[in-house]
Amino acid sequence: MAITLYAARGGGSAIVEALLTLTGQEYRVEYFSWEDLPNEELLAVNPLGEIPALRLDNGDLLTETAAITLWLGDRFPASKLVPPADDPVRVQFLRRLVWLVAAVYPTFTYGDHPERFVPDKTDAVQLRETTDLRRQALWRQLEKETGGPWICGGRRTALDIFIAVMSCWRPRRQWFAAECPQLFAIAQRVDQLDTLKKVWSRNRLPQT
Ligand SMILES: N[C@@H](CCC(=O)N[C@@H](CS)C(=O)NCC(=O)O)C(=O)O
């Protein structure tokens, strides 16, 4: 049974699609259209109605980008996507991985569909604005901490793939070029990886 990735083009599933590609593992992708989310088929796979979701080769369901990343690191250590337990950069890797999904990602969860959380239209507009601002502050914080050339220093890890994809979302790449040049440079380096060219093209990335 091949690993199946439930996906939507350009979304968080593009991170997982790129990571899977870097492992060399065979997989199949089922793309949903954004207008169609959440739909019955996806809800049957992931009760949260979110992508990415992975059906593993043993039939298990694996959701949550951070969990998927750590699983890929365990399953495919040769891919070097995740620094191993005794690696000195492991602590900062874990810290930033969880920060990306626990601090940055929720600003999209609440900001992309504010009407799901606050029924009043004015409040919804405000929630979108405040989560957008919060995200900008978070990216600036990471920019300050980043020495380059990659998020974890001298070596590329899964986190650089997160940056390449997430920097295509609001406030988007032009903002990163102006406000977070180091993160922008990392994203551009990832854009250039030959192994990932087809993944980016399927996901219509990068977007400016
Ligand atoms: N905590 C999840 C968040 C996943 C998520 O928010 N996915 C978004 C797309 S990037 C989604 O499925 N949105 C569709 C919807 O909420 O209707 C993770 O880290 O994987």
Side-chain angles (χ1 to χ4, degrees), residues 31 37-38 57 66 81 96-97 106 108 116 130 134 136 155-156 170 174 185 205:
Y31 291 109
L37 289 184
D57 38 8
L81 293 172
R96 288 175 181 148
L97 173 65
F108 292 106
R116 290 180 186 169
T130 51
R134 168 78 179 155
Q136 291 179 19
R155 187 180 350 150
R156 199 184 71 221
R170 294 193 313 283
Q174 282 182 4
L205 295 176

Side-chain angles (χ1 to χ4, degrees), residues 8 10-13 34 37-38 42 48-52 63-66 68 101 105 108-109 112-113 116 162 169:
S13 53
W34 286 104
L37 289 184
L42 180 59
L48 269 181
E50 290 178 344
I51 54 92
T63 62
E64 301 302 324
T65 322
I68 294 170
V101 298
Y105 221 139
F108 292 106
T109 309
D112 281 356
H113 301 285
R116 290 180 186 169
F162 277 72
W169 306 342

Side-chain angles (χ1 to χ4, degrees), residues 18-19 21-24 77-84 87 89 93 148-164 185-196 200:
L19 296 178
T21 302
L22 290 171
T23 67
S79 65
K80 295 194 162 60
L81 293 172
V82 176
D87 191 308
V89 302
F93 176 91
W150 303 102
I151 288 289
C152 283
R155 187 180 350 150
R156 199 184 71 221
T157 65
L159 299 186
D160 302 297
I161 308 299
F162 277 72
I163 299 302
I186 288 171
Q188 283 194 310
R189 265 180 228 118
V190 174
D191 292 347
Q192 301 306 323
L193 297 174
D194 280 340
T195 346
L196 296 181
W200 301 145

